[in-house]
């Protein structure tokens, strides 16, 4: 089974500063990677995904993430955050084994708090 | 509007009293799943279903049951709830062609408290 590690449980940052939320996963032959965002009292919303191709993927709200196979990482970045980005962010990994559909494994989440 | 609807949103119950949390999706998705979210633990999968009458255990299935008699509905059943099942529960659905999680939709969540 996959394990997903989000290295920071809380990340406080000031508005307009850059931010990076870190995510590492256990090695596998073929993985798909996702970041989800959860705003207070809401469900999860897909932020971005990596399936194949370019290792730099862009998502909604100005977020982007870079897939690094050698380091088994998929860190999320934004060059300038807004107060409205305050939310919990979850990294998730799905793995494929042959023709078997994979399951989705979540990290423990990172609470991003943006201060004015 | 594409959505996953869970009911109820909030529930307080007593130990041992059977309860059902409903989940319905209007996107004709084959894949549906239940997760529980606990502070510091992220989301853990309880059960999932690849299609009608096809269900399988996730990471934390103990104390839960599910059924998938229709494509749109995937209820979560707690036959005898215990306090350690106090949690925030999410239902999710997605199409299963290709990568099943390409467009996963999540419900708004059900906050369950068992006293």
């Amino acid at each position: 089974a996959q394990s997903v590690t989000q290295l920071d449980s809380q990340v406080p940052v000031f508005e307009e500063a850059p931010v990076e939320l870190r995510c590492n996963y256990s090695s596998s032959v073929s993985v798909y990677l996702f970041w989800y965002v959860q705003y207070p009292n809401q469900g999860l919303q897909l932020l971005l995904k990596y399936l194949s191709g370019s290792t730099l993927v862009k998502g909604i709200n100005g977020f982007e993430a870079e897939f690094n196979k050698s380091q088994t990482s998929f860190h999320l970045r934004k060059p300038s955050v807004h107060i409205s980005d305050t939310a919990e962010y979850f990294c998730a990994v799905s793995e494929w084994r042959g023709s078997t559909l994979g399951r989705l494994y979540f990290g423990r989440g990172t609470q991003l708090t943006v201060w004015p | 509007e594409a959505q996953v609807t869970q009911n109820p949103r909030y529930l307080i119950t007593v130990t041992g009293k059977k309860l059902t949390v409903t989940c319905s999706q209007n996107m004709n998705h084959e894949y549906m799943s239940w997760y529980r979210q606990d502070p510091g633990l992220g989301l853990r999968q309880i059960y999932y279903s690849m299609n009608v009458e096809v269900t399988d255990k996730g990471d934390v299935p103990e104390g839960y049951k599910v059924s998938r008699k229709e494509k749109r509905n995937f209820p979560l059943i707690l036959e005898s709830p215990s306090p350690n099942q106090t949690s925030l529960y999410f239902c999710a659905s997605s199409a299963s062609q290709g990568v099943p999680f390409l467009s996963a939709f999540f419900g708004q969540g059900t906050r369950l408290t068992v006293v």
Side-chain angles (χ1 to χ4, degrees):
Chain A
Q2 277 285 344
S3 72
V4 183
T5 303
Q6 290 184 242
L7 295 156
D8 305 296
S9 60
Q10 303 210 25
V11 173
V13 65
F14 287 109
E15 195 172 20
E16 297 183 9
V19 71
E20 178 180 81
L21 307 184
R22 297 179 292 170
C23 174
N24 287 87
Y25 61 95
S26 55
S27 178
S28 180
V29 175
S30 181
V31 294
Y32 299 99
L33 300 154
F34 306 84
W35 275 99
Y36 287 87
V37 59
Q38 183 181 30
Y39 298 105
N41 299 314
Q42 294 190 25
L44 275 73
Q45 179 182 357
L46 183 64
L47 201 55
L48 50 78
K49 58 185 180 288
Y50 170 79
L51 304 179
S52 64
S54 172
T55 57
L56 183 65
V57 292
K58 295 188 184 297
I60 61 173
N61 301 339
F63 282 94
E64 62 182 32
E66 186 156 19
F67 169 57
N68 188 320
K69 188 174 183 179
S70 62
Q71 297 186 3
T72 60
S73 68
F74 190 54
H75 300 333
L76 180 70
R77 301 186 183 103
K78 187 170 182 178
S80 176
V81 293
H82 302 288
I83 288 179
S84 59
D85 292 323
T86 294
E88 188 148 24
Y89 293 79
F90 292 94
C91 180
V93 176
S94 174
E95 62 180 7
W96 287 78
R97 296 187 182 279
S99 60
T100 304
L101 288 170
R103 289 175 49 198
L104 195 59
Y105 299 89
F106 284 88
R108 296 188 175 193
T110 298
Q111 174 64 45
L112 173 65
T113 303
V114 181
W115 299 98
Chain B
E1 181 190 352
Q3 59 185 5
V4 176
T5 304
Q6 294 178 228
N7 280 297
R9 292 288 310 277
Y10 302 91
L11 179 60
I12 300 175
T13 189
V14 296
T15 299
K17 185 177 181 182
K18 180 179 178 179
L19 66 91
T20 299
V21 183
T22 64
C23 174
S24 179
Q25 50 94 3
N26 62 0
M27 296 162 280
N28 202 37
H29 283 162
E30 295 84 4
Y31 186 96
M32 297 186 73
S33 182
W34 277 102
Y35 298 87
R36 60 177 289 174
Q37 182 181 14
D38 301 290
L41 296 178
L43 278 82
R44 293 177 293 170
Q45 192 174 48
I46 303 171
Y47 269 95
Y48 62 99
S49 169
M50 302 297 287
N51 214 325
V52 175
E53 303 292 359
V54 180
T55 63
D56 208 348
K57 296 177 180 178
D59 296 314
V60 287
E62 294 78 20
Y64 304 95
K65 283 176 57 176
V66 293
S67 68
R68 188 90 182 273
K69 293 182 170 54
E70 310 166 274
K71 201 172 189 179
R72 63 183 292 126
N73 295 323
F74 190 44
L76 180 70
I77 302 157
L78 284 73
E79 294 271 4
S80 182
S82 62
N84 64 13
Q85 292 178 297
T86 293
S87 187
L88 179 59
Y89 292 85
F90 286 102
C91 179
S93 77
S94 61
S96 65
Q97 290 85 9
V99 179
F101 310 108
L102 258 180
S103 55
F105 288 80
F106 280 80
Q108 294 288 82
T110 295
R111 188 166 293 281
L112 172 66
T113 302
V114 183
V115 298

